[in-house]
Amino acid sequence: MTEFSPLQSEIHKLIRSSGPMPVWRYMELCLMHPEHGYYVSRDPLGREGDFTTAPEVSQMFGELLGLWTASVWKAIGSPPMLRLVELGPGRGTMMADALRAVRVLPPLYQSLHIDLVEINPVLREKQRAMLSGARNISWHDSIDDVPEGPAVILANEYFDVLPIHQVVKRETGWHERVVNLDANGKLVFAASDEPMPRFEVLLPPLVRAAPVGAVFEWRPDTEMMKIATRVRDQDGAALIIDYGHLRSDAGDTFQAIARHSFADPLRNPGQADVTAHVDFQALARAAEDVGARVHGPVTQGEFLKRLGIETRAVTLMGKTTPEVSADISAALKRLTDSGRGGMGSMFKVLAVTEPNLTSVAGLSDEPPAPGDETA
Protein backbone atom coordinates (compact mmCIF):
# COMPACT_ATOMS: atom_id res chain seq x y z
CA MET A 1 0.00 0.00 0.00
CA THR A 2 1.24 3.49 -0.82
CA GLU A 3 0.74 6.39 1.55
CA PHE A 4 -1.56 8.22 -0.87
CA SER A 5 -3.61 6.22 -3.35
CA PRO A 6 -4.35 7.50 -6.88
CA LEU A 7 -8.08 7.02 -6.23
CA GLN A 8 -7.98 9.24 -3.17
CA SER A 9 -7.41 12.44 -5.14
CA GLU A 10 -10.28 11.54 -7.50
CA ILE A 11 -12.65 11.01 -4.58
CA HIS A 12 -11.55 14.34 -3.06
CA LYS A 13 -12.33 16.10 -6.34
CA LEU A 14 -15.74 14.43 -6.62
CA ILE A 15 -16.70 15.45 -3.07
CA ARG A 16 -15.51 19.03 -3.59
CA SER A 17 -17.47 19.37 -6.84
CA SER A 18 -20.63 17.39 -6.03
CA GLY A 19 -20.86 17.27 -2.24
CA PRO A 20 -20.72 14.36 0.23
CA MET A 21 -20.68 10.90 -1.34
CA PRO A 22 -23.05 8.09 -0.24
CA VAL A 23 -21.28 5.09 1.31
CA TRP A 24 -22.47 2.80 -1.51
CA ARG A 25 -20.82 5.04 -4.12
CA TYR A 26 -17.57 5.26 -2.15
CA MET A 27 -17.47 1.46 -1.82
CA GLU A 28 -18.24 1.02 -5.51
CA LEU A 29 -15.37 3.33 -6.49
CA CYS A 30 -12.94 1.63 -4.10
CA LEU A 31 -13.64 -1.79 -5.58
CA MET A 32 -14.71 -1.22 -9.17
CA HIS A 33 -13.20 2.07 -10.40
CA PRO A 34 -12.15 1.21 -13.99
CA GLU A 35 -8.53 2.23 -13.43
CA HIS A 36 -7.83 2.26 -9.69
CA GLY A 37 -10.45 -0.14 -8.28
CA TYR A 38 -9.19 -2.81 -5.90
CA TYR A 39 -10.80 -5.71 -7.80
CA VAL A 40 -9.96 -4.49 -11.28
CA SER A 41 -6.22 -5.01 -11.56
CA ARG A 42 -4.68 -7.19 -8.85
CA ASP A 43 -4.60 -10.63 -7.26
CA PRO A 44 -5.68 -9.99 -3.66
CA LEU A 45 -5.56 -13.63 -2.49
CA GLY A 46 -3.20 -15.77 -0.46
CA ARG A 47 -0.24 -15.18 1.78
CA GLU A 48 1.20 -12.46 -0.45
CA GLY A 49 -2.17 -10.73 -0.86
CA ASP A 50 -4.65 -9.26 1.58
CA PHE A 51 -6.89 -12.18 2.56
CA THR A 52 -7.36 -15.94 2.23
CA THR A 53 -10.63 -17.59 1.20
CA ALA A 54 -11.82 -21.10 2.10
CA PRO A 55 -10.73 -22.70 -1.22
CA GLU A 56 -7.18 -21.46 -0.56
CA VAL A 57 -7.25 -23.05 2.92
CA SER A 58 -7.85 -26.61 1.69
CA GLN A 59 -8.75 -28.64 -1.40
CA MET A 60 -11.52 -30.27 0.68
CA PHE A 61 -13.72 -27.18 0.40
CA GLY A 62 -13.90 -27.18 -3.39
CA GLU A 63 -14.14 -30.98 -3.57
CA LEU A 64 -17.22 -30.99 -1.37
CA LEU A 65 -18.83 -28.28 -3.49
CA GLY A 66 -18.17 -30.51 -6.49
CA LEU A 67 -20.02 -33.33 -4.76
CA TRP A 68 -22.80 -30.91 -3.83
CA THR A 69 -23.06 -30.01 -7.54
CA ALA A 70 -23.38 -33.72 -8.35
CA SER A 71 -26.19 -34.12 -5.83
CA VAL A 72 -28.12 -31.22 -7.38
CA TRP A 73 -27.58 -32.59 -10.90
CA LYS A 74 -29.08 -35.92 -9.83
CA ALA A 75 -31.96 -34.21 -8.00
CA ILE A 76 -32.99 -32.26 -11.12
CA GLY A 77 -33.03 -35.37 -13.30
CA SER A 78 -29.41 -35.53 -14.56
CA PRO A 79 -29.85 -33.14 -17.53
CA PRO A 80 -27.54 -33.78 -20.52
CA MET A 81 -26.07 -30.27 -20.18
CA LEU A 82 -25.40 -28.43 -16.92
CA ARG A 83 -23.81 -25.01 -16.54
CA LEU A 84 -21.49 -24.82 -13.54
CA VAL A 85 -21.28 -21.09 -12.83
CA GLU A 86 -18.94 -19.46 -10.33
CA LEU A 87 -19.33 -15.80 -9.34
CA GLY A 88 -15.99 -14.21 -8.45
CA PRO A 89 -13.85 -17.36 -8.89
CA GLY A 90 -10.58 -15.95 -7.50
CA ARG A 91 -7.63 -17.90 -8.89
CA GLY A 92 -9.82 -20.79 -10.05
CA THR A 93 -8.78 -22.94 -7.10
CA MET A 94 -12.30 -23.84 -5.96
CA MET A 95 -13.44 -24.70 -9.48
CA ALA A 96 -10.36 -26.88 -10.09
CA ASP A 97 -11.01 -28.80 -6.86
CA ALA A 98 -14.73 -29.14 -7.63
CA LEU A 99 -14.01 -30.49 -11.12
CA ARG A 100 -11.57 -33.05 -9.73
CA ALA A 101 -14.35 -34.36 -7.47
CA VAL A 102 -16.91 -34.32 -10.28
CA ARG A 103 -14.68 -36.51 -12.48
CA VAL A 104 -15.80 -39.54 -10.42
CA LEU A 105 -19.16 -39.15 -12.22
CA PRO A 106 -18.23 -39.22 -15.93
CA PRO A 107 -21.81 -38.57 -17.20
CA LEU A 108 -21.92 -35.34 -15.16
CA TYR A 109 -18.37 -34.32 -16.05
CA GLN A 110 -19.11 -34.77 -19.76
CA SER A 111 -22.28 -32.66 -19.44
CA LEU A 112 -20.62 -29.64 -17.83
CA HIS A 113 -20.10 -26.22 -19.30
CA ILE A 114 -18.03 -23.98 -16.99
CA ASP A 115 -19.04 -20.30 -16.82
CA LEU A 116 -16.85 -17.95 -14.76
CA VAL A 117 -18.10 -14.46 -13.91
CA GLU A 118 -14.94 -12.38 -13.44
CA ILE A 119 -14.08 -8.74 -14.24
CA ASN A 120 -10.43 -8.81 -13.14
CA PRO A 121 -8.05 -9.49 -16.08
CA VAL A 122 -5.21 -10.53 -13.72
CA LEU A 123 -7.40 -13.17 -12.09
CA ARG A 124 -8.83 -14.30 -15.44
CA GLU A 125 -5.30 -15.21 -16.54
CA LYS A 126 -4.70 -17.15 -13.31
CA GLN A 127 -8.02 -18.96 -13.79
CA ARG A 128 -7.02 -19.87 -17.37
CA ALA A 129 -3.76 -21.37 -16.10
CA MET A 130 -5.41 -23.20 -13.20
CA LEU A 131 -8.19 -24.62 -15.40
CA SER A 132 -6.14 -25.22 -18.55
CA GLY A 133 -7.30 -28.83 -18.75
CA ALA A 134 -11.00 -28.05 -18.43
CA ARG A 135 -13.37 -28.43 -21.37
CA ASN A 136 -16.17 -26.03 -22.36
CA ILE A 137 -15.11 -23.01 -20.33
CA SER A 138 -16.21 -19.37 -20.84
CA TRP A 139 -15.69 -16.07 -19.03
CA HIS A 140 -18.32 -13.37 -18.51
CA ASP A 141 -18.47 -9.88 -16.99
CA SER A 142 -21.89 -10.47 -15.40
CA ILE A 143 -24.32 -13.27 -14.60
CA ASP A 144 -26.60 -11.62 -17.18
CA ASP A 145 -24.15 -12.80 -19.86
CA VAL A 146 -24.25 -16.50 -18.89
CA PRO A 147 -26.23 -18.40 -21.57
CA GLU A 148 -29.47 -20.14 -20.66
CA GLY A 149 -29.80 -23.68 -19.36
CA PRO A 150 -29.93 -25.65 -16.10
CA ALA A 151 -27.23 -24.35 -13.77
CA VAL A 152 -25.50 -24.76 -10.46
CA ILE A 153 -24.30 -21.33 -9.37
CA LEU A 154 -21.56 -21.09 -6.72
CA ALA A 155 -20.97 -17.79 -4.94
CA ASN A 156 -18.26 -17.98 -2.26
CA GLU A 157 -17.43 -14.58 -0.72
CA TYR A 158 -19.21 -12.79 -3.55
CA PHE A 159 -22.02 -10.87 -1.89
CA ASP A 160 -19.83 -9.27 0.81
CA VAL A 161 -18.17 -6.98 -1.76
CA LEU A 162 -21.40 -5.76 -3.37
CA PRO A 163 -21.80 -2.08 -2.33
CA ILE A 164 -23.96 -1.35 0.71
CA HIS A 165 -26.25 1.56 1.53
CA GLN A 166 -26.01 2.86 5.09
CA VAL A 167 -28.32 5.07 7.15
CA VAL A 168 -27.83 6.56 10.62
CA LYS A 169 -30.66 7.03 13.11
CA ARG A 170 -31.08 10.57 14.44
CA GLU A 171 -33.82 12.18 16.54
CA THR A 172 -35.25 13.45 13.26
CA GLY A 173 -35.30 10.06 11.52
CA TRP A 174 -32.95 7.95 9.40
CA HIS A 175 -30.30 9.91 7.48
CA GLU A 176 -28.15 8.51 4.67
CA ARG A 177 -24.56 7.93 5.77
CA VAL A 178 -22.04 9.67 3.54
CA VAL A 179 -18.29 10.17 3.10
CA ASN A 180 -17.19 13.81 3.34
CA LEU A 181 -14.04 15.89 3.86
CA ASP A 182 -13.24 17.47 7.21
CA ALA A 183 -11.57 20.86 7.70
CA ASN A 184 -8.14 19.27 7.15
CA GLY A 185 -9.17 17.57 3.90
CA LYS A 186 -9.39 14.12 5.47
CA LEU A 187 -12.09 11.62 4.48
CA VAL A 188 -14.65 11.18 7.29
CA PHE A 189 -18.09 9.63 7.77
CA ALA A 190 -21.03 12.02 8.09
CA ALA A 191 -24.80 11.99 7.61
CA SER A 192 -26.96 13.84 5.10
CA ASP A 193 -28.80 16.88 6.49
CA GLU A 194 -32.31 15.72 5.64
CA PRO A 195 -33.84 12.43 6.83
CA MET A 196 -35.02 9.88 4.26
CA PRO A 197 -38.80 10.35 3.98
CA ARG A 198 -40.95 7.49 5.34
CA PHE A 199 -37.88 5.24 5.51
CA GLU A 200 -38.90 3.73 8.87
CA VAL A 201 -41.95 1.96 7.42
CA LEU A 202 -39.64 -0.17 5.25
CA LEU A 203 -37.56 -1.44 8.16
CA PRO A 204 -37.81 -4.75 10.04
CA PRO A 205 -39.26 -4.21 13.57
CA LEU A 206 -35.92 -5.10 15.18
CA VAL A 207 -34.20 -2.25 13.31
CA ARG A 208 -37.03 0.20 13.91
CA ALA A 209 -36.41 -0.14 17.65
CA ALA A 210 -32.68 0.69 17.36
CA PRO A 211 -31.38 3.60 19.47
CA VAL A 212 -30.33 7.01 18.14
CA GLY A 213 -26.87 6.72 16.60
CA ALA A 214 -27.47 3.21 15.26
CA VAL A 215 -26.39 2.37 11.72
CA PHE A 216 -28.44 0.16 9.40
CA GLU A 217 -27.04 -1.16 6.12
CA TRP A 218 -28.53 -3.03 3.21
CA ARG A 219 -27.81 -4.11 -0.33
CA PRO A 220 -30.27 -3.83 -3.21
CA ASP A 221 -32.02 -7.16 -3.92
CA THR A 222 -31.14 -7.02 -7.63
CA GLU A 223 -28.32 -9.59 -7.72
CA MET A 224 -30.12 -12.10 -5.51
CA MET A 225 -33.30 -11.75 -7.54
CA LYS A 226 -31.38 -12.37 -10.79
CA ILE A 227 -29.89 -15.58 -9.38
CA ALA A 228 -33.20 -16.77 -7.87
CA THR A 229 -35.15 -16.01 -11.06
CA ARG A 230 -32.61 -17.92 -13.11
CA VAL A 231 -32.83 -21.14 -11.07
CA ARG A 232 -36.62 -20.76 -10.73
CA ASP A 233 -37.12 -20.60 -14.49
CA GLN A 234 -34.29 -22.74 -15.87
CA ASP A 235 -33.80 -25.39 -13.17
CA GLY A 236 -30.86 -25.91 -10.86
CA ALA A 237 -29.60 -24.31 -7.67
CA ALA A 238 -27.41 -21.53 -6.32
CA LEU A 239 -25.15 -21.91 -3.28
CA ILE A 240 -24.18 -18.74 -1.40
CA ILE A 241 -21.37 -18.89 1.17
CA ASP A 242 -20.30 -15.73 2.95
CA TYR A 243 -19.70 -14.16 6.32
CA GLY A 244 -22.67 -12.41 7.81
CA HIS A 245 -25.72 -12.54 10.07
CA LEU A 246 -28.82 -14.70 10.05
CA ARG A 247 -31.34 -11.91 10.66
CA SER A 248 -31.67 -8.28 9.62
CA ASP A 249 -30.47 -6.00 12.41
CA ALA A 250 -28.77 -2.65 12.99
CA GLY A 251 -24.99 -2.51 13.05
CA ASP A 252 -22.06 -1.03 11.14
CA THR A 253 -20.03 -3.80 9.47
CA PHE A 254 -18.28 -1.73 6.77
CA GLN A 255 -14.62 -2.69 7.01
CA ALA A 256 -11.32 -2.87 5.15
CA ILE A 257 -8.75 -5.68 5.04
CA ALA A 258 -5.14 -5.18 3.95
CA ARG A 259 -2.27 -7.64 4.43
CA HIS A 260 -4.56 -9.96 6.45
CA SER A 261 -5.33 -7.25 9.02
CA PHE A 262 -8.17 -4.79 9.55
CA ALA A 263 -7.55 -1.32 8.13
CA ASP A 264 -9.30 2.05 8.07
CA PRO A 265 -11.83 1.86 5.19
CA LEU A 266 -11.42 5.62 4.55
CA ARG A 267 -7.64 5.46 4.21
CA ASN A 268 -5.92 4.69 0.89
CA PRO A 269 -9.14 3.95 -1.05
CA GLY A 270 -8.65 1.38 -3.78
CA GLN A 271 -5.70 -0.27 -2.03
CA ALA A 272 -7.57 -2.39 0.51
CA ASP A 273 -10.48 -4.81 0.25
CA VAL A 274 -13.61 -3.06 1.54
CA THR A 275 -16.50 -5.32 2.50
CA ALA A 276 -19.57 -5.57 4.72
CA HIS A 277 -21.33 -8.52 6.30
CA VAL A 278 -24.08 -10.27 4.36
CA ASP A 279 -27.67 -10.15 5.62
CA PHE A 280 -28.86 -13.72 4.98
CA GLN A 281 -32.43 -12.95 6.03
CA ALA A 282 -32.59 -10.28 3.32
CA LEU A 283 -31.12 -12.68 0.72
CA ALA A 284 -33.68 -15.35 1.61
CA ARG A 285 -36.54 -12.86 1.48
CA ALA A 286 -35.47 -11.58 -1.96
CA ALA A 287 -35.28 -15.13 -3.34
CA GLU A 288 -38.67 -16.08 -1.93
CA ASP A 289 -40.21 -12.88 -3.28
CA VAL A 290 -39.56 -14.09 -6.85
CA GLY A 291 -40.88 -17.59 -6.14
CA ALA A 292 -37.66 -19.57 -5.63
CA ARG A 293 -37.23 -22.05 -2.76
CA VAL A 294 -34.75 -21.27 0.02
CA HIS A 295 -32.79 -23.91 1.95
CA GLY A 296 -30.96 -22.88 5.12
CA PRO A 297 -29.04 -20.90 6.05
CA VAL A 298 -26.78 -23.02 8.24
CA THR A 299 -23.25 -22.31 9.43
CA GLN A 300 -20.36 -23.27 7.16
CA GLY A 301 -19.05 -25.67 9.78
CA GLU A 302 -22.36 -27.53 9.95
CA PHE A 303 -22.71 -27.59 6.16
CA LEU A 304 -19.24 -29.02 5.55
CA LYS A 305 -19.64 -31.63 8.28
CA ARG A 306 -22.95 -32.78 6.80
CA LEU A 307 -21.20 -33.17 3.44
CA GLY A 308 -18.55 -35.38 5.01
CA ILE A 309 -15.50 -33.15 5.42
CA GLU A 310 -14.31 -35.00 8.52
CA THR A 311 -14.33 -38.34 6.64
CA ARG A 312 -12.56 -36.70 3.70
CA ALA A 313 -9.86 -35.30 6.01
CA VAL A 314 -9.24 -38.75 7.55
CA THR A 315 -8.94 -40.25 4.03
CA LEU A 316 -6.41 -37.61 2.97
CA MET A 317 -4.40 -37.92 6.20
CA GLY A 318 -4.16 -41.69 5.70
CA LYS A 319 -2.30 -41.20 2.42
CA THR A 320 0.40 -38.70 3.39
CA THR A 321 3.20 -37.75 5.78
CA PRO A 322 2.68 -36.68 9.42
CA GLU A 323 3.63 -33.12 8.50
CA VAL A 324 1.03 -32.88 5.73
CA SER A 325 -1.51 -34.63 7.98
CA ALA A 326 -1.02 -31.88 10.55
CA ASP A 327 -1.70 -29.27 7.81
CA ILE A 328 -4.90 -31.09 6.81
CA SER A 329 -6.04 -31.22 10.42
CA ALA A 330 -5.35 -27.48 10.84
CA ALA A 331 -7.28 -26.71 7.63
CA LEU A 332 -10.24 -28.79 8.84
CA LYS A 333 -10.24 -26.87 12.10
CA ARG A 334 -10.08 -23.50 10.35
CA LEU A 335 -12.93 -24.33 7.97
CA THR A 336 -15.29 -25.77 10.59
CA ASP A 337 -14.40 -24.39 14.04
CA SER A 338 -16.14 -21.48 15.74
CA GLY A 339 -13.20 -20.24 17.80
CA ARG A 340 -10.62 -17.58 17.05
CA GLY A 341 -9.49 -17.82 13.44
CA GLY A 342 -12.20 -20.35 12.63
CA MET A 343 -14.61 -19.81 9.74
CA GLY A 344 -17.15 -22.37 10.91
CA SER A 345 -19.76 -20.11 12.53
CA MET A 346 -18.89 -16.71 11.05
CA PHE A 347 -19.63 -18.01 7.54
CA LYS A 348 -23.17 -19.04 6.59
CA VAL A 349 -24.46 -21.16 3.73
CA LEU A 350 -27.75 -20.63 1.87
CA ALA A 351 -29.11 -22.51 -1.15
CA VAL A 352 -31.73 -21.23 -3.57
CA THR A 353 -33.45 -23.64 -5.96
CA GLU A 354 -36.37 -24.03 -8.29
CA PRO A 355 -39.57 -24.42 -6.22
CA ASN A 356 -40.01 -28.20 -6.58
CA LEU A 357 -36.60 -29.14 -5.18
CA THR A 358 -37.62 -29.86 -1.60
CA SER A 359 -34.21 -30.69 -0.11
CA VAL A 360 -30.53 -30.22 -0.95
CA ALA A 361 -27.43 -31.87 0.48
CA GLY A 362 -25.96 -30.25 3.55
CA LEU A 363 -28.90 -27.93 4.13
CA SER A 364 -31.52 -30.44 5.25
CA ASP A 365 -31.26 -32.66 8.29
CA GLU A 366 -30.50 -35.86 6.40
CA PRO A 367 -26.88 -37.08 6.57
CA PRO A 368 -24.98 -37.37 3.27
CA ALA A 369 -25.60 -40.56 1.34
CA PRO A 370 -23.04 -43.38 1.85
CA GLY A 371 -20.19 -43.06 -0.61
CA ASP A 372 -20.60 -39.30 -1.01
CA GLU A 373 -16.91 -38.73 -0.40
CA THR A 374 -14.20 -38.25 -2.96
CA ALA A 375 -11.92 -41.22 -3.38
Side-chain angles (χ1 to χ4, degrees):
M1 289 177 67
T2 59
E3 204 47 46
F4 190 84
S5 69
L7 183 58
Q8 190 162 324
S9 57
E10 288 203 29
I11 289 173
H12 280 226
K13 285 177 194 169
L14 284 168
I15 292 173
R16 287 194 176 102
S17 64
S18 305
M21 179 181 291
V23 166
W24 70 265
R25 177 62 175 149
Y26 174 80
M27 187 173 177
E28 183 180 67
L29 286 170
C30 287
L31 298 177
M32 307 297 181
H33 183 279
E35 190 178 352
H36 306 304
Y38 181 80
Y39 276 116
V40 171
S41 60
R42 74 183 72 212
D43 175 2
L45 296 162
R47 200 169 292 176
E48 299 304 313
D50 293 318
F51 57 88
T52 302
T53 60
E56 305 287 333
V57 172
S58 169
Q59 70 183 69
M60 297 184 289
F61 186 83
E63 289 171 347
L64 290 174
L65 295 200
L67 295 177
W68 188 86
T69 299
S71 74
V72 171
W73 177 71
K74 289 178 180 176
I76 63 174
S78 307
M81 191 280 289
L82 180 76
R83 293 195 176 278
L84 182 53
V85 183
E86 187 175 356
L87 308 180
R91 294 171 172 171
T93 305
M94 187 173 91
M95 184 59 75
D97 293 336
L99 291 175
R100 186 170 59 253
V102 165
R103 280 196 181 95
V104 303
L105 264 180
L108 169 57
Y109 187 70
Q110 296 299 322
S111 78
L112 285 180
H113 194 295
I114 312 304
D115 292 278
L116 303 179
V117 177
E118 178 62 69
I119 63 165
N120 183 326
V122 175
L123 289 178
R124 278 195 183 194
E125 286 309 308
K126 297 205 170 187
Q127 292 154 20
R128 276 195 183 88
M130 180 70 74
L131 300 167
S132 58
R135 306 159 51 255
N136 301 331
I137 186 165
S138 304
W139 279 263
H140 312 279
D141 290 334
S142 161
I143 192 170
D144 299 324
D145 303 328
V146 177
E148 293 188 353
V152 170
I153 301 168
L154 305 176
N156 179 59
E157 291 200 54
Y158 174 75
F159 277 86
D160 63 280
V161 297
L162 298 182
I164 53 161
H165 295 253
Q166 286 190 325
V167 287
V168 184
K169 191 173 186 181
R170 299 278 187 255
E171 297 284 0
T172 48
W174 291 88
H175 296 246
E176 184 165 33
R177 200 178 193 206
V178 296
V179 175
N180 203 354
L181 295 171
D182 68 9
N184 299 315
K186 183 182 174 186
L187 293 173
V188 292
F189 287 115
S192 57
D193 294 335
E194 297 297 320
M196 298 179 75
R198 296 184 55 75
F199 183 75
E200 187 146 319
V201 301
L202 304 171
L203 293 174
L206 197 65
V207 180
R208 236 176 278 167
V212 168
V215 173
F216 176 64
E217 56 194 27
W218 78 95
R219 291 178 173 88
D221 293 333
T222 316
E223 199 75 3
M224 187 70 245
M225 285 179 161
K226 281 182 193 175
I227 292 167
T229 301
R230 163 125 198 179
V231 298
R232 179 199 70 193
D233 293 344
Q234 298 181 44
D235 220 354
L239 191 70
I240 293 132
I241 305 173
D242 228 312
Y243 54 91
H245 38 277
L246 293 173
R247 63 177 186 174
S248 303
D249 203 350
D252 176 14
T253 71
F254 187 47
Q255 62 189 29
I257 302 286
R259 299 296 181 195
H260 301 271
S261 299
F262 288 107
D264 181 351
L266 297 184
R267 191 176 177 206
N268 299 319
Q271 298 200 353
D273 183 31
V274 287
T275 70
H277 288 202
V278 174
D279 181 344
F280 278 84
Q281 184 178 350
L283 289 184
R285 188 170 56 244
E288 288 172 339
D289 282 349
V290 299
R293 184 184 286 267
V294 169
H295 309 260
V298 300
T299 64
Q300 176 176 292
E302 182 65 23
F303 177 72
L304 294 176
K305 286 174 183 176
R306 289 178 182 180
L307 291 184
I309 192 170
E310 291 162 320
T311 304
R312 177 60 178 148
V314 169
T315 302
L316 288 173
M317 287 189 283
K319 298 177 179 177
T320 190
T321 63
E323 291 79 14
V324 175
S325 289
D327 290 343
I328 294 166
S329 178
L332 174 67
K333 185 178 172 69
R334 184 168 181 193
L335 290 173
T336 60
D337 269 19
S338 301
R340 181 175 173 82
M343 304 168 79
S345 60
M346 169 70 82
F347 282 73
K348 315 296 188 301
V349 183
L350 176 81
V352 177
T353 70
E354 53 93 1
N356 296 321
L357 202 58
T358 55
S359 70
V360 292
L363 290 154
S364 55
D365 292 329
E366 299 88 17
D372 271 6
E373 293 96 23
T374 309

